[in-house]
Coordinates of all heavy atoms in Angstrom, one line a residue:
M1 N -8.0 -14.7 4.4 CA -9.4 -14.4 4.0 C -9.4 -14.2 2.5 O -8.5 -13.6 1.9 CB -9.8 -13.1 4.6 CG -11.3 -12.8 4.6 SD -11.6 -11.2 5.4 CE -12.4 -10.3 4.1
K2 N -10.4 -14.7 1.8 CA -10.5 -14.5 0.4 C -11.3 -13.3 0.0 O -12.4 -13.0 0.6 CB -11.2 -15.8 -0.2 CG -10.2 -16.9 -0.3 CD -10.7 -18.1 -1.1 CE -9.6 -19.1 -1.2 NZ -10.2 -20.4 -1.7
I3 N -10.8 -12.5 -0.9 CA -11.4 -11.2 -1.3 C -11.9 -11.4 -2.7 O -11.1 -11.9 -3.6 CB -10.4 -10.1 -1.2 CG1 -9.9 -9.9 0.3 CG2 -11.0 -8.8 -1.6 CD1 -8.6 -9.3 0.4
P4 N -13.1 -11.0 -3.0 CA -13.7 -11.2 -4.4 C -12.9 -10.3 -5.3 O -12.4 -9.2 -5.0 CB -15.1 -10.7 -4.3 CG -15.2 -10.0 -3.0 CD -14.2 -10.6 -2.1
R5 N -12.7 -10.8 -6.6 CA -12.0 -10.2 -7.6 C -12.5 -8.8 -8.1 O -11.8 -8.0 -8.6 CB -11.9 -11.1 -8.8 CG -10.5 -11.5 -9.2 CD -10.5 -12.6 -10.3 NE -9.8 -13.8 -9.9 CZ -8.5 -13.8 -9.8 NH1 -7.7 -12.7 -10.0 NH2 -7.9 -14.9 -9.5
S6 N -13.8 -8.6 -7.9 CA -14.4 -7.4 -8.3 C -15.5 -7.0 -7.4 O -16.1 -7.9 -6.7 CB -15.0 -7.5 -9.8 OG -16.1 -8.4 -9.8
M7 N -15.8 -5.7 -7.2 CA -16.9 -5.2 -6.4 C -17.5 -4.0 -7.0 O -16.8 -3.3 -7.8 CB -16.4 -5.0 -5.0 CG -15.4 -3.9 -4.8 SD -15.2 -3.3 -3.1 CE -14.1 -4.6 -2.4
R8 N -18.7 -3.7 -6.6 CA -19.4 -2.5 -7.1 C -19.3 -1.5 -6.0 O -19.8 -1.7 -4.9 CB -20.9 -2.9 -7.4 CG -21.3 -2.9 -8.8 CD -22.7 -3.2 -9.0 NE -23.5 -2.0 -9.3 CZ -23.4 -1.3 -10.4 NH1 -22.6 -1.8 -11.4 NH2 -24.1 -0.2 -10.6
T9 N -18.8 -0.3 -6.4 CA -18.7 0.8 -5.4 C -18.7 2.1 -6.1 O -18.7 2.2 -7.3 CB -17.5 0.6 -4.4 OG1 -17.6 1.5 -3.4 CG2 -16.2 0.8 -5.2
Y10 N -18.8 3.2 -5.3 CA -18.9 4.5 -5.9 C -17.6 5.0 -6.6 O -16.5 4.9 -6.0 CB -19.3 5.5 -4.8 CG -19.5 6.9 -5.3 CD1 -20.7 7.3 -6.0 CD2 -18.5 7.9 -5.2 CE1 -20.8 8.5 -6.5 CE2 -18.7 9.2 -5.6 CZ -19.9 9.5 -6.3 OH -20.1 10.8 -6.8
C11 N -17.7 5.5 -7.8 CA -16.5 6.0 -8.5 C -16.6 7.5 -8.5 O -17.6 8.0 -9.1 CB -16.4 5.4 -9.9 SG -15.1 6.2 -10.8
P12 N -15.7 8.3 -7.9 CA -15.8 9.7 -7.9 C -15.7 10.4 -9.3 O -16.1 11.5 -9.5 CB -14.6 10.2 -7.0 CG -14.1 8.9 -6.4 CD -14.5 7.8 -7.2
R13 N -15.0 9.7 -10.2 CA -14.9 10.3 -11.5 C -16.1 10.0 -12.4 O -16.6 10.9 -13.1 CB -13.6 9.7 -12.2 CG -13.2 10.5 -13.4 CD -12.1 9.8 -14.2 NE -10.8 10.1 -13.7 CZ -9.7 9.5 -14.1 NH1 -9.8 8.5 -14.9 NH2 -8.5 9.8 -13.6
C14 N -16.6 8.8 -12.3 CA -17.9 8.5 -13.1 C -19.1 9.1 -12.3 O -20.2 9.2 -12.9 CB -18.1 7.0 -13.2 SG -16.8 6.2 -14.1
K15 N -18.9 9.4 -11.1 CA -20.0 9.9 -10.2 C -21.2 9.0 -10.1 O -22.3 9.4 -10.0 CB -20.4 11.3 -10.7 CG -19.4 12.4 -10.4 CD -19.8 13.8 -10.8 CE -18.7 14.7 -10.4 NZ -18.8 16.0 -11.2
T16 N -20.9 7.7 -10.1 CA -21.9 6.7 -9.9 C -21.3 5.4 -9.5 O -20.1 5.3 -9.5 CB -22.8 6.5 -11.2 OG1 -23.7 5.5 -11.0 CG2 -21.9 6.0 -12.4
H17 N -22.1 4.4 -9.1 CA -21.6 3.1 -8.8 C -21.1 2.4 -10.0 O -21.9 2.3 -11.0 CB -22.6 2.3 -8.0 CG -22.5 2.6 -6.5 ND1 -22.8 3.8 -6.0 CD2 -22.2 1.8 -5.5 CE1 -22.7 3.7 -4.6 NE2 -22.3 2.5 -4.3
T18 N -19.9 1.8 -10.0 CA -19.4 1.0 -11.1 C -18.7 -0.2 -10.6 O -18.5 -0.3 -9.4 CB -18.4 1.8 -12.0 OG1 -17.4 2.3 -11.2 CG2 -19.1 3.0 -12.7
E19 N -18.4 -1.1 -11.5 CA -17.6 -2.3 -11.2 C -16.1 -2.0 -11.0 O -15.6 -1.3 -11.9 CB -17.8 -3.3 -12.3 CG -17.6 -4.8 -11.8 CD -18.7 -5.3 -10.9 OE1 -19.9 -4.9 -11.0 OE2 -18.3 -6.2 -10.1
F20 N -15.5 -2.4 -10.0 CA -14.1 -2.2 -9.7 C -13.3 -3.5 -9.7 O -13.9 -4.5 -9.1 CB -13.9 -1.5 -8.4 CG -14.0 0.0 -8.4 CD1 -15.3 0.6 -8.5 CD2 -12.9 0.8 -8.4 CE1 -15.4 2.0 -8.5 CE2 -13.1 2.2 -8.5 CZ -14.3 2.8 -8.5
A21 N -12.1 -3.5 -10.3 CA -11.3 -4.7 -10.1 C -10.5 -4.5 -8.8 O -10.0 -3.5 -8.5 CB -10.3 -4.8 -11.3
V22 N -10.3 -5.6 -8.1 CA -9.7 -5.6 -6.8 C -8.3 -6.2 -6.9 O -8.2 -7.3 -7.5 CB -10.6 -6.3 -5.7 CG1 -9.9 -6.3 -4.4 CG2 -11.9 -5.7 -5.7
S23 N -7.3 -5.6 -6.3 CA -6.0 -6.2 -6.1 C -5.4 -5.7 -4.8 O -5.8 -4.8 -4.2 CB -5.1 -5.8 -7.3 OG -4.9 -4.5 -7.4
L24 N -4.4 -6.5 -4.4 CA -3.7 -6.1 -3.1 C -2.7 -5.1 -3.3 O -1.9 -5.2 -4.3 CB -3.1 -7.3 -2.4 CG -4.1 -8.4 -1.9 CD1 -3.4 -9.6 -1.4 CD2 -4.9 -7.8 -0.7
Y25 N -2.6 -4.1 -2.5 CA -1.5 -3.1 -2.6 C -0.2 -3.6 -2.3 O 0.0 -4.4 -1.3 CB -1.8 -1.9 -1.7 CG -0.7 -0.9 -1.5 CD1 -0.4 0.0 -2.5 CD2 0.2 -1.0 -0.5 CE1 0.7 0.9 -2.4 CE2 1.3 -0.1 -0.4 CZ 1.5 0.8 -1.4 OH 2.5 1.7 -1.3
K26 N 0.8 -3.3 -3.1 CA 2.2 -3.8 -2.9 C 3.1 -2.6 -2.9 O 3.0 -1.8 -3.9 CB 2.5 -4.8 -3.9 CG 3.5 -5.9 -3.4 CD 3.8 -6.9 -4.5 CE 5.2 -7.3 -4.4 NZ 5.7 -8.0 -5.6
A27 N 4.0 -2.4 -1.9 CA 4.9 -1.3 -1.9 C 5.9 -1.4 -3.1 O 6.3 -2.5 -3.5 CB 5.6 -1.2 -0.6
G28 N 6.2 -0.2 -3.7 CA 7.1 -0.2 -4.8 C 8.5 -0.6 -4.4 O 8.9 -0.6 -3.3
K29 N 9.3 -0.8 -5.4 CA 10.7 -1.2 -5.2 C 11.5 0.0 -4.8 O 11.3 1.1 -5.4 CB 11.3 -1.8 -6.5 CG 12.5 -2.6 -6.3 CD 13.0 -3.1 -7.7 CE 14.4 -3.7 -7.5 NZ 15.1 -3.8 -8.8
R30 N 12.4 -0.1 -3.8 CA 13.3 1.0 -3.4 C 14.3 1.2 -4.4 O 15.0 0.3 -4.8 CB 13.9 0.7 -2.0 CG 13.0 0.1 -1.0 CD 12.1 1.1 -0.4 NE 12.8 2.2 0.3 CZ 12.3 2.8 1.3 NH1 11.2 2.5 1.9 NH2 13.0 3.8 1.9
M31 N 14.4 2.5 -4.8 CA 15.4 2.9 -5.8 C 16.6 3.7 -5.1 O 16.3 4.7 -4.5 CB 14.8 3.7 -6.9 CG 13.8 3.0 -7.7 SD 14.5 1.7 -8.8 CE 13.1 1.0 -9.4
A32 N 17.8 3.2 -5.3 CA 18.9 3.9 -4.6 C 19.2 5.3 -5.1 O 19.7 6.1 -4.3 CB 20.2 3.0 -4.9
A33 N 18.7 5.7 -6.3 CA 18.9 7.0 -6.8 C 17.9 8.0 -6.3 O 18.0 9.2 -6.6 CB 19.0 7.0 -8.3
K34 N 16.8 7.6 -5.6 CA 15.8 8.5 -5.2 C 16.2 9.4 -4.1 O 17.1 9.0 -3.3 CB 14.5 7.7 -4.8 CG 13.9 7.0 -6.0 CD 13.2 7.9 -6.9 CE 12.5 7.1 -8.0 NZ 12.0 8.0 -9.1
K35 N 15.5 10.6 -4.0 CA 15.9 11.6 -3.0 C 16.0 11.1 -1.6 O 17.0 11.3 -0.9 CB 14.9 12.7 -3.1 CG 15.3 13.9 -2.3 CD 14.2 15.0 -2.3 CE 14.5 16.1 -1.4 NZ 13.4 17.1 -1.3
G36 N 15.0 10.4 -1.1 CA 14.9 9.9 0.3 C 16.1 8.9 0.6 O 16.7 9.0 1.6
E37 N 16.4 8.0 -0.4 CA 17.4 7.1 -0.2 C 18.8 7.8 -0.2 O 19.7 7.4 0.6 CB 17.4 6.0 -1.3 CG 16.2 5.2 -1.4 CD 16.1 4.1 -0.3 OE1 17.2 3.7 0.2 OE2 15.0 3.8 0.2
R38 N 19.0 8.8 -1.0 CA 20.2 9.5 -1.0 C 20.4 10.3 0.3 O 21.5 10.2 0.9 CB 20.2 10.5 -2.2 CG 20.2 9.9 -3.6 CD 20.7 10.9 -4.6 NE 20.0 12.2 -4.6 CZ 18.9 12.6 -5.3 NH1 18.4 11.7 -6.1 NH2 18.4 13.7 -5.2
H39 N 19.4 10.9 0.8 CA 19.5 11.6 2.1 C 19.8 10.7 3.2 O 20.5 11.0 4.1 CB 18.2 12.4 2.3 CG 18.1 13.7 1.5 ND1 17.7 14.9 2.0 CD2 18.5 13.9 0.2 CE1 17.8 15.8 1.0 NE2 18.2 15.2 -0.1
Q40 N 19.1 9.5 3.2 CA 19.3 8.6 4.3 C 20.8 8.1 4.3 O 21.4 7.9 5.3 CB 18.4 7.4 4.1 CG 18.6 6.2 5.0 CD 18.3 6.5 6.5 OE1 18.0 7.7 6.9 NE2 18.4 5.5 7.3
K41 N 21.3 7.9 3.1 CA 22.7 7.5 3.0 C 23.7 8.5 3.6 O 24.6 8.2 4.3 CB 23.1 7.3 1.5 CG 24.1 6.3 1.2 CD 24.4 6.1 -0.3 CE 25.8 5.7 -0.5 NZ 26.2 5.9 -1.9
V42 N 23.3 9.8 3.4 CA 24.1 10.9 4.0 C 24.0 10.9 5.5 O 25.0 11.1 6.2 CB 23.7 12.3 3.3 CG1 24.4 13.4 4.1 CG2 24.0 12.3 1.9
R43 N 22.7 10.8 6.0 CA 22.5 10.8 7.4 C 23.2 9.7 8.1 O 23.6 9.8 9.3 CB 20.9 10.7 7.6 CG 20.2 12.0 7.6 CD 18.8 11.8 7.9 NE 18.1 11.3 6.8 CZ 16.8 10.8 6.8 NH1 16.2 10.7 7.9 NH2 16.3 10.4 5.7
K44 N 23.3 8.5 7.5 CA 23.9 7.4 8.1 C 25.4 7.4 8.1 O 26.1 6.6 8.8 CB 23.4 6.1 7.4 CG 22.0 5.7 7.8 CD 21.7 4.3 7.3 CE 22.3 3.2 8.2 NZ 21.4 2.2 8.5
R45 N 26.0 8.4 7.5 CA 27.5 8.5 7.4 C 28.1 8.9 8.7 O 27.5 9.7 9.5 CB 27.8 9.5 6.3 CG 29.1 9.2 5.6 CD 29.2 9.9 4.2 NE 28.8 11.3 4.3 CZ 28.6 12.0 3.2 NH1 28.7 11.5 2.0 NH2 28.3 13.3 3.3
G46 N 29.3 8.4 9.0 CA 30.0 8.8 10.2 C 29.5 8.2 11.5 O 28.9 7.2 11.5
Y47 N 29.8 8.9 12.6 CA 29.4 8.4 13.9 C 28.0 8.7 14.2 O 27.4 9.7 13.7 CB 30.2 9.1 15.0 CG 31.6 8.6 15.1 CD1 32.7 9.4 14.8 CD2 31.9 7.3 15.6 CE1 34.0 9.0 14.9 CE2 33.2 6.9 15.7 CZ 34.3 7.7 15.3 OH 35.5 7.3 15.4
G48 N 27.3 7.8 14.9 CA 25.9 8.0 15.2 C 25.0 8.1 14.0 O 24.4 9.1 13.7
G49 N 25.1 7.0 13.3 CA 24.4 7.0 11.9 C 22.9 7.0 11.9 O 22.4 8.0 11.4
Q50 N 22.3 6.0 12.5 CA 20.8 5.9 12.4 C 20.1 7.1 13.0 O 20.3 7.3 14.2 CB 20.4 4.6 13.0 CG 18.9 4.2 12.7 CD 18.7 3.9 11.2 OE1 19.6 3.6 10.4 NE2 17.4 4.0 10.8
K51 N 19.2 7.8 12.3 CA 18.6 9.0 12.9 C 17.2 8.7 13.4 O 16.6 9.6 14.0 CB 18.4 10.0 11.8 CG 19.7 10.6 11.3 CD 20.3 11.5 12.4 CE 21.7 12.1 12.0 NZ 22.4 12.7 13.1
F52 N 16.7 7.5 13.3 CA 15.4 7.1 13.9 C 15.5 5.7 14.3 O 16.3 4.9 13.8 CB 14.2 7.3 12.9 CG 14.5 6.7 11.6 CD1 14.2 5.3 11.3 CD2 15.0 7.4 10.5 CE1 14.4 4.8 10.1 CE2 15.3 6.8 9.3 CZ 14.9 5.5 9.1
P53 N 14.8 5.3 15.4 CA 15.0 4.0 15.9 C 14.5 2.9 15.0 O 13.4 3.1 14.3 CB 14.1 4.0 17.2 CG 13.2 5.1 17.0 CD 13.8 6.1 16.2
E54 N 15.3 1.8 14.9 CA 14.8 0.7 14.1 C 14.0 -0.2 14.9 O 14.5 -0.6 16.0 CB 16.1 0.0 13.5 CG 16.6 0.6 12.2 CD 17.8 -0.3 11.7 OE1 17.5 -1.2 10.9 OE2 18.9 0.0 12.0
Q55 N 12.9 -0.7 14.4 CA 12.1 -1.6 15.2 C 12.5 -3.0 15.1 O 12.6 -3.5 13.9 CB 10.6 -1.4 14.8 CG 9.7 -2.0 15.8 CD 8.3 -1.6 15.7 OE1 7.9 -1.0 14.7 NE2 7.4 -1.9 16.7
H56 N 12.8 -3.7 16.2 CA 13.2 -5.0 16.1 C 12.2 -6.0 16.6 O 12.0 -7.1 16.0 CB 14.5 -5.2 16.9 CG 15.7 -4.4 16.4 ND1 16.2 -4.7 15.1 CD2 16.4 -3.4 16.8 CE1 17.2 -3.9 14.8 NE2 17.3 -3.0 15.8
N57 N 11.6 -5.7 17.8 CA 10.6 -6.7 18.3 C 9.2 -6.2 18.1 O 8.7 -5.4 18.8 CB 10.9 -7.0 19.8 CG 11.3 -5.8 20.6 OD1 11.4 -4.7 20.0 ND2 11.5 -5.9 21.8
Q58 N 8.6 -6.8 17.1 CA 7.2 -6.4 16.7 C 6.2 -7.0 17.7 O 6.4 -8.2 18.1 CB 6.9 -6.9 15.3 CG 7.0 -5.8 14.3 CD 8.3 -5.5 13.7 OE1 9.3 -6.2 14.1 NE2 8.5 -4.5 12.9
A59 N 5.2 -6.2 18.1 CA 4.2 -6.8 19.0 C 3.1 -7.5 18.2 O 2.5 -8.4 18.7 CB 3.6 -5.6 19.8
K60 N 2.9 -7.0 17.0 CA 1.8 -7.5 16.2 C 2.2 -8.6 15.3 O 3.4 -8.6 14.8 CB 1.1 -6.4 15.4 CG 0.4 -5.4 16.3 CD -0.3 -4.3 15.6 CE -1.2 -3.5 16.5 NZ -0.4 -2.8 17.5
V61 N 1.4 -9.6 15.1 CA 1.7 -10.7 14.2 C 1.1 -10.6 12.8 O 1.3 -11.4 12.0 CB 1.4 -12.1 14.9 CG1 2.3 -12.3 16.1 CG2 -0.1 -12.1 15.3
T62 N 0.2 -9.6 12.7 CA -0.5 -9.5 11.4 C -0.2 -8.1 10.8 O 0.3 -7.2 11.5 CB -2.0 -9.6 11.6 OG1 -2.4 -8.7 12.6 CG2 -2.4 -11.0 11.9
R63 N -0.4 -8.0 9.5 CA -0.2 -6.7 8.8 C -1.6 -6.3 8.2 O -2.4 -7.1 7.9 CB 0.8 -6.8 7.7 CG 2.2 -7.0 8.3 CD 3.2 -6.9 7.2 NE 3.0 -7.9 6.1 CZ 3.6 -7.8 5.0 NH1 4.4 -6.7 4.7 NH2 3.5 -8.7 4.0
K64 N -1.7 -4.9 8.1 CA -2.9 -4.4 7.5 C -2.7 -4.4 6.0 O -1.7 -3.9 5.4 CB -3.1 -3.0 7.9 CG -3.7 -2.9 9.3 CD -4.0 -1.4 9.6 CE -4.7 -1.3 11.0 NZ -4.9 0.1 11.4
Q65 N -3.6 -5.1 5.3 CA -3.5 -5.3 3.8 C -4.4 -4.2 3.2 O -5.6 -4.2 3.4 CB -3.9 -6.7 3.4 CG -3.0 -7.7 3.9 CD -1.9 -8.0 2.8 OE1 -1.8 -7.3 1.9 NE2 -1.2 -9.1 3.0
T66 N -3.8 -3.3 2.4 CA -4.6 -2.3 1.7 C -5.1 -2.9 0.4 O -4.4 -3.6 -0.3 CB -3.7 -1.1 1.4 OG1 -3.2 -0.7 2.7 CG2 -4.5 0.0 0.9
L67 N -6.3 -2.5 0.0 CA -6.9 -3.0 -1.3 C -6.8 -1.9 -2.3 O -7.0 -0.7 -2.0 CB -8.3 -3.4 -1.1 CG -8.7 -4.6 -0.3 CD1 -10.2 -4.8 -0.3 CD2 -8.0 -5.8 -0.8
T68 N -6.4 -2.2 -3.5 CA -6.4 -1.2 -4.6 C -7.5 -1.6 -5.5 O -7.6 -2.7 -6.0 CB -5.0 -1.3 -5.4 OG1 -4.0 -1.2 -4.4 CG2 -4.9 -0.1 -6.4
L69 N -8.4 -0.6 -5.7 CA -9.5 -0.8 -6.6 C -9.4 0.0 -7.9 O -8.9 1.2 -7.8 CB -10.8 -0.4 -5.9 CG -11.1 -0.9 -4.5 CD1 -12.4 -0.4 -4.0 CD2 -11.2 -2.4 -4.6
E70 N -9.7 -0.6 -9.0 CA -9.6 0.1 -10.3 C -10.9 0.0 -11.0 O -11.4 -1.0 -11.3 CB -8.5 -0.5 -11.1 CG -8.2 0.4 -12.4 CD -7.0 -0.2 -13.2 OE1 -6.4 -1.2 -12.8 OE2 -6.8 0.4 -14.3
C71 N -11.4 1.2 -11.4 CA -12.7 1.3 -12.1 C -12.6 0.7 -13.4 O -11.6 1.0 -14.2 CB -13.2 2.8 -12.2 SG -14.7 3.0 -13.1
K72 N -13.5 -0.2 -13.8 CA -13.4 -0.9 -15.0 C -13.9 0.0 -16.2 O -13.6 -0.3 -17.4 CB -14.3 -2.2 -15.0 CG -13.6 -3.3 -14.2 CD -14.4 -4.5 -14.2 CE -13.7 -5.6 -13.4 NZ -14.5 -6.8 -13.2
E73 N -14.5 1.1 -15.9 CA -14.9 2.0 -17.0 C -14.0 3.2 -17.3 O -13.7 3.5 -18.4 CB -16.3 2.6 -16.7 CG -17.4 1.6 -17.1 CD -18.7 1.8 -16.4 OE1 -19.2 2.9 -16.4 OE2 -19.3 0.8 -15.9
C74 N -13.4 3.8 -16.2 CA -12.5 4.9 -16.5 C -11.1 4.7 -15.9 O -10.3 5.6 -16.0 CB -13.1 6.2 -15.9 SG -13.1 6.2 -14.1
N75 N -10.8 3.5 -15.4 CA -9.5 3.2 -14.8 C -9.1 4.0 -13.7 O -7.9 4.1 -13.4 CB -8.4 3.2 -15.9 CG -8.7 2.1 -17.0 OD1 -9.2 1.1 -16.7 ND2 -8.3 2.4 -18.2
Y76 N -10.1 4.7 -13.0 CA -9.7 5.5 -11.8 C -9.4 4.5 -10.7 O -10.0 3.5 -10.5 CB -11.0 6.3 -11.4 CG -10.8 7.1 -10.1 CD1 -10.2 8.4 -10.2 CD2 -11.2 6.7 -8.9 CE1 -10.0 9.2 -9.1 CE2 -11.0 7.4 -7.8 CZ -10.4 8.7 -7.9 OH -10.3 9.4 -6.7
K77 N -8.3 4.8 -10.0 CA -7.8 3.9 -8.9 C -8.0 4.5 -7.6 O -7.8 5.7 -7.4 CB -6.3 3.7 -9.1 CG -6.0 2.6 -10.1 CD -4.5 2.2 -10.1 CE -4.2 1.3 -11.2 NZ -2.8 1.0 -11.4
L78 N -8.5 3.7 -6.7 CA -8.6 4.2 -5.3 C -8.2 3.1 -4.3 O -8.1 1.9 -4.7 CB -10.1 4.7 -5.0 CG -11.3 3.7 -5.2 CD1 -11.6 3.0 -4.0 CD2 -12.5 4.6 -5.6
M79 N -7.9 3.5 -3.1 CA -7.4 2.5 -2.1 C -8.5 2.4 -1.0 O -9.2 3.3 -0.7 CB -6.1 3.1 -1.5 CG -5.1 3.4 -2.4 SD -4.0 2.0 -2.6 CE -2.5 2.9 -3.1
R80 N -8.6 1.1 -0.5 CA -9.4 0.8 0.6 C -8.6 0.6 1.8 O -7.5 -0.1 1.7 CB -10.3 -0.4 0.3 CG -11.6 -0.1 -0.4 CD -12.6 0.6 0.5 NE -13.5 1.4 -0.2 CZ -14.6 1.0 -0.8 NH1 -14.9 -0.2 -0.7 NH2 -15.4 1.9 -1.4
K81 N -8.9 1.1 2.9 CA -8.2 1.0 4.2 C -8.1 -0.5 4.5 O -9.2 -1.2 4.5 CB -8.9 1.7 5.3 CG -8.0 2.2 6.4 CD -8.8 2.9 7.4 CE -8.3 4.3 7.6 NZ -9.1 5.0 8.6
G82 N -7.0 -1.0 4.9 CA -6.8 -2.4 5.2 C -7.3 -2.8 6.6 O -7.4 -2.0 7.5
I83 N -7.6 -4.1 6.7 CA -7.9 -4.6 8.0 C -6.9 -5.6 8.4 O -6.2 -6.1 7.5 CB -9.3 -5.3 8.1 CG1 -9.5 -6.3 7.0 CG2 -10.4 -4.2 8.1 CD1 -10.7 -7.2 7.2
R84 N -6.6 -5.9 9.6 CA -5.6 -6.9 10.0 C -6.0 -8.3 9.6 O -7.0 -8.8 10.0 CB -5.4 -6.8 11.5 CG -4.8 -5.4 11.9 CD -4.0 -5.5 13.2 NE -3.3 -4.3 13.4 CZ -2.1 -4.1 12.9 NH1 -1.4 -5.1 12.3 NH2 -1.5 -2.9 13.0
L85 N -5.1 -8.9 8.8 CA -5.3 -10.2 8.4 C -4.0 -11.0 8.4 O -2.9 -10.4 8.0 CB -5.8 -10.2 6.9 CG -7.3 -9.8 6.7 CD1 -7.5 -9.6 5.2 CD2 -8.2 -10.7 7.3
K86 N -4.0 -12.3 8.7 CA -2.8 -13.1 8.6 C -2.5 -13.3 7.1 O -1.4 -13.2 6.7 CB -3.1 -14.4 9.3 CG -2.8 -14.4 10.8 CD -1.9 -15.5 11.2 CE -1.3 -15.2 12.6 NZ -1.6 -16.2 13.6
K87 N -3.5 -13.6 6.4 CA -3.3 -13.8 4.9 C -4.5 -13.4 4.2 O -5.7 -13.8 4.4 CB -3.1 -15.3 4.7 CG -2.5 -15.6 3.3 CD -2.4 -17.1 3.1 CE -2.1 -17.3 1.6 NZ -2.3 -18.7 1.3
A88 N -4.3 -12.5 3.2 CA -5.4 -12.0 2.3 C -5.1 -12.4 0.9 O -3.9 -12.3 0.5 CB -5.5 -10.5 2.4
E89 N -6.0 -13.0 0.2 CA -5.8 -13.3 -1.2 C -7.0 -13.0 -2.0 O -8.2 -13.1 -1.5 CB -5.4 -14.8 -1.3 CG -6.4 -15.8 -0.9 CD -6.0 -17.2 -1.3 OE1 -5.6 -17.4 -2.4 OE2 -6.1 -18.1 -0.4
V90 N -6.8 -12.5 -3.2 CA -7.8 -12.1 -4.1 C -8.2 -13.4 -4.9 O -7.4 -14.0 -5.6 CB -7.4 -11.0 -5.1 CG1 -8.4 -10.7 -6.1 CG2 -7.1 -9.7 -4.2
A91 N -9.4 -13.8 -4.7 CA -9.9 -15.0 -5.4 C -11.0 -14.8 -6.4 O -11.6 -13.8 -6.3 CB -10.4 -16.0 -4.3
Ligands
LIG101 ZN1 -15.0 5.3 -13.0

């Protein structure tokens, strides 16, 4: 599905409707030195390593794509809840 590059919606900082730039949310890069990664490394040590089940067989074939909106006037960023799409692109 093609998503428009910009949309007009309410900005909580400007307290009015403004133009927002649209982009797709992308998870940040995992850093080995971060707290969660360090703790996971400790938890996985020794016998009985994995502390939560790893999912292997996914039932769903699509992912929810979150939209990141950025106000063109004050650069306030907000997220829009994603809908299930095979492929989303900002056009
Ligand atoms: Zn704004």
Side-chain angles (χ1 to χ4, degrees):
M1 195 181 124
K2 283 189 177 167
I3 299 153
R5 244 173 232 289
S6 67
M7 65 164 82
R8 248 182 105 71
T9 190
Y10 183 76
C11 175
R13 197 187 273 168
C14 299
K15 290 181 177 157
T16 180
H17 272 64
T18 56
E19 202 71 30
F20 276 77
V22 181
S23 59
L24 290 173
Y25 169 78
K26 213 178 144 195
K29 199 182 168 197
R30 311 287 299 214
M31 297 287 176
K34 294 286 183 191
K35 188 183 173 189
E37 296 286 331
R38 294 199 310 264
H39 282 223
Q40 174 66 354
K41 208 178 151 194
V42 171
R43 274 183 280 166
K44 283 190 77 134
R45 210 159 48 190
Y47 285 112
Q50 191 66 20
K51 291 290 179 191
F52 49 87
E54 275 185 87
Q55 194 165 13
H56 293 296
N57 38 1
Q58 258 84 4
K60 293 184 171 61
V61 292
T62 53
R63 289 192 299 166
K64 281 184 179 175
Q65 292 270 10
T66 307
L67 294 180
T68 309
L69 307 180
E70 190 177 354
C71 179
K72 285 182 180 173
E73 275 159 51
C74 68
N75 295 328
Y76 180 85
K77 278 187 186 173
L78 58 89
M79 303 266 206
R80 272 289 151 84
K81 206 182 244 181
I83 53 166
R84 294 206 168 269
L85 287 172
K86 275 229 163 124
K87 193 185 173 197
E89 62 172 313
V90 176

